[in-house]
Amino acid sequence: MTAPVSAREILICSIAKLLDGSRHVAVGASSPIPAAGAMLLRALKDEMRAEKVRVSILGSVEHNFFTNGSAELFDCAGQGRIDAFFLGGGQIDGVGNINLVGVGDYPRSSVRWPGSFGSAYLYFVVPRVILFREEHTPRVFVDRVDFISAPGVSEPGVYRTGGPYALLTGKGLFSFDRTRPGFRLESVHPGHSLKEIKEATGFEFDHNDDLSITPTPDAATLKLLRGRVLDELHETYPDFAAQMRREISAGATSA
Amino acid sequence: MHTDLEALARQIEPGMRIALPVDYAGVSMAMTRPIIDHGASDLDLVCVPTGGLQVDMLVGAGLVRSVETSAVSLGEAGGAPRFNQAVRDGSIGLRDATCPAIHAGLMAAQKGSPFTAMRGLIGTDILKNRDDWRVIDNPFAQSGDPIVLIPAIHPDIAIFHAPMADRFGNVWIGRRRELAAMAYASKMTFVTVERIVDESLLASETLAAGTLPALYVSEIAVAPRGAWPYGLWGEYQTDTAELLRYAKAARTAEGFAAYMSGAVTEPAQ
């Protein structure tokens, strides 16, 4: 029996869909689900014999062609050569501001997170930034972030070729409207509800009255994900790939 | 040129600005203990462009006055416990940055220029908290175009670890070009290496492209497995279990002290 589709697999497939049309996708460190999504898009395009997708996975040797040190990712983005990237946030607010620095009054944050990394640049110059945060709670999705590592939108006249494109959480998928600005709930993942998402979100968002359910992948996509993509992912994220494989084989026996 | 780690550490003076590399580029963890034993304090650390275990240990040992960085963490092992505590206590100065701004500052120093202009940053609280950065109107634009200027970063010493050097003081850095950027910008550069080879690295076209010439290298010391518990590209993997052991111990000042005084501060050979 084929194992049922897991919540993580739905996230990975959702990411591959959001990335469709990108020629070069870069993925930051400690991001196994975005990396898998980018690899799945590449594999799907290869199957269709469509234009190849370049994927740059930080922390990988095989799936990373940069030779100019850690500055090259940013230079590449500044030149407009990166179409999509992923950012998260300890806090994300309703106008797309992200906070990777900490809670409370800076600089003496009561909770300190690692720091802004490249967000204060990449959010401005990568056209399709996908905000990805599995934890969907009011402490993450706040009305107003305590520290702006990178702003969702900029004043007119500020050079900006990039910004938030979508927000994917463990409960749902949102699009971002730069003109409003704000998020719009596009679909709810299987097993979750609008009511639950409203309670877990500290900001207002738009949505249709009849919400769609985030689609589950078809058999061909699932086969690619469980085969080629997990093989490729193993080099950078061995523990994550092994855990997904265990879940799949456990699901197959109990199904 | 070839010297021991303690002799290198003795050249660090209180108040110096020290550049340290990101955890995957080649961190000279072997230098951490000698630096702490030497005890020069009020150091201003520049993380290129982020910091990890070494930064956390130097902060925990009370040697650090300020940290300029885009992030500090132990990666898979979680947050940096002594750094985070120092932030809560307000006992270190913070110069939060973003990765390309650190690269921009080093690039300016590399060119001998006073600053580099860079995109992004406008509207962030990072910029708001950096009184050493400036926003100007792009003088080449037809209409208003604000852009940020990052001043040159001139560290006193850059310290990193690499797989090999040759007898002539050239160091092989492969594709880790941020190590070269650190060296170009710094007054002195101390490098620990896994081994020293006899033949000049500049004799082979293949190796020469990834070689930092001796001109930019002040001191070299041999330290086998000198990045441990971090990994070294092409050589060995990160010892995540050891990072986790540190992360757990260093949650408290007492646990940190116990870890640092413990017998296991060197890799099992």
Side-chain angles (χ1 to χ4, degrees):
Chain A
M1 283 291 291
T2 305
V5 178
S6 70
R8 271 182 177 166
E9 286 172 330
I10 290 172
L11 291 177
I12 292 167
C13 295
S14 301
I15 286 170
K17 273 191 191 147
L18 290 169
L19 293 173
D20 194 10
S22 305
R23 295 156 306 156
H24 183 189
V25 181
V27 185
S30 308
S31 307
I33 292 175
M39 286 168 165
L40 178 59
L41 175 73
R42 178 170 64 182
L44 286 164
K45 293 293 175 187
D46 283 354
E47 291 287 304
M48 293 159 60
R49 301 184 186 280
E51 191 186 352
K52 279 206 178 300
V53 176
R54 282 186 194 278
V55 176
S56 296
I57 310 279
L58 296 195
S60 168
V61 176
E62 276 174 46
H63 305 282
N64 181 342
F65 54 75
F66 293 132
T67 56
N68 199 21
S70 58
E72 189 174 357
L73 165 72
F74 307 104
D75 294 348
C76 200
Q79 295 152 16
R81 295 180 197 270
I82 294 179
D83 303 308
F85 190 74
F86 301 86
L87 289 172
Q91 292 177 335
I92 297 170
D93 70 23
V95 292
N97 295 323
I98 61 172
N99 173 7
L100 295 150
V101 162
V103 178
D105 290 333
Y106 184 84
R108 288 186 67 173
S109 313
S110 55
V111 176
R112 170 76 198 199
W113 298 312
S116 303
F117 292 97
S119 64
Y121 185 73
L122 295 175
Y123 216 25
F124 287 80
V125 296
V126 176
R128 214 181 279 197
V129 175
I130 295 168
L131 298 173
F132 176 64
R133 181 75 208 240
E134 265 189 290
E135 179 186 333
H136 192 142
T137 61
R139 69 170 191 170
V140 173
F141 298 105
V142 295
D143 183 45
R144 194 76 190 162
V145 295
D146 291 350
F147 184 97
I148 300 175
S149 287
V153 292
S154 297
E155 297 288 319
V158 172
Y159 181 90
R160 186 144 196 181
T161 54
Y165 176 75
L167 165 66
L168 182 67
T169 79
K171 296 185 194 295
L173 169 65
F174 300 77
S175 59
F176 187 75
D177 179 352
R178 290 175 201 187
T179 56
R180 219 164 26 97
F183 291 100
R184 179 184 185 83
L185 183 61
E186 296 290 344
S187 68
V188 177
H189 302 337
H192 299 280
S193 69
L194 174 62
K195 181 170 175 290
E196 180 195 346
I197 290 176
K198 279 191 167 167
E199 283 169 4
T201 310
F203 55 76
E204 300 288 316
F205 56 85
D206 272 0
H207 62 84
N208 286 344
D209 289 336
D210 54 335
L211 268 167
S212 52
I213 305 291
T214 310
T216 52
D218 59 41
T221 304
L222 200 60
K223 186 161 176 268
L224 268 184
L225 168 53
R226 290 177 175 183
R228 172 179 164 177
V229 171
L230 288 188
D231 286 345
E232 290 177 349
L233 196 65
H234 187 269
E235 180 238 359
T236 320
Y237 296 107
D239 295 344
F240 182 88
Q243 192 195 355
M244 278 198 65
R245 284 233 151 90
R246 279 196 300 276
E247 284 171 14
I248 291 162
S249 65
T253 21
S254 61
Chain B
M1 174 70 74
H2 307 149
T3 183
D4 63 70
L5 304 180
E6 286 71 24
L8 295 192
R10 280 197 295 275
Q11 297 187 52
I12 300 175
E13 294 170 17
M16 275 187 164
R17 199 174 187 188
I18 310 287
L20 302 170
V22 57
D23 53 17
Y24 55 76
V27 180
S28 181
M29 284 306 299
M31 278 296 293
T32 311
R33 172 56 60 110
I35 292 171
I36 291 172
D37 289 346
H38 170 58
S41 62
D42 286 332
L43 301 178
D44 296 316
L45 303 186
V46 179
C47 305
V48 182
T50 61
L53 181 63
Q54 186 170 49
V55 170
D56 202 61
M57 286 179 166
L58 295 177
V59 169
L63 301 186
V64 177
R65 174 169 58 193
S66 73
V67 180
E68 170 157 21
T69 191
S70 308
V72 181
S73 90
L74 300 180
E76 281 182 74
R82 299 332 296 158
F83 170 79
N84 290 349
Q85 185 63 49
V87 169
R88 281 192 295 275
D89 295 344
S91 59
I92 53 168
L94 271 183
R95 286 171 174 264
D96 264 286
T98 186
C99 304
I102 304 252
H103 295 306
L106 294 175
M107 177 67 78
Q110 173 179 334
K111 306 259 181 234
S113 297
F115 58 79
T116 298
M118 73 170 272
R119 291 301 191 187
L121 282 169
I122 292 168
T124 67
D125 285 336
I126 300 171
L127 176 64
K128 199 178 285 178
N129 284 281
R130 292 295 302 246
D131 57 11
D132 54 335
W133 295 354
R134 297 283 181 275
V135 180
I136 62 154
D137 208 22
N138 171 7
F140 299 101
Q142 298 299 321
S143 56
D145 178 21
I147 188 161
V148 179
L149 303 184
I150 308 292
I153 297 173
H154 295 284
D156 293 296
I157 308 178
I159 303 174
F160 62 81
H161 186 73
M164 61 179 162
D166 64 20
R167 291 189 294 120
F168 313 98
N170 304 305
V171 175
W172 192 64
I173 58 168
R175 61 185 111 180
R176 300 274 36 121
R177 300 303 304 177
E178 58 270 72
L179 301 177
M182 288 166 63
Y184 298 150
S186 301
K187 296 187 186 82
M188 290 189 284
T189 295
F190 298 170
V191 186
T192 56
V193 293
E194 294 291 316
R195 57 192 167 272
I196 294 190
V197 297
D198 282 335
E199 192 178 352
S200 170
L201 293 167
L202 299 176
S204 141
E205 284 300 325
T206 308
L207 288 176
T211 296
L212 178 67
L215 169 67
Y216 307 101
V217 181
S218 316
E219 301 275 8
I220 295 171
V222 176
R225 290 183 70 80
W228 179 87
Y230 281 126
L232 183 63
W233 37 274
E235 299 275 330
Y236 45 89
Q237 297 292 315
T238 295
D239 183 351
T240 306
E242 185 62 24
L243 285 177
L244 286 165
R245 199 174 78 80
Y246 172 82
K248 193 175 173 195
R251 280 179 202 158
T252 64
E254 297 73 30
F256 171 75
Y259 179 94
M260 296 306 285
S261 66
V264 188
T265 52
E266 286 181 0
Q269 296 295 328

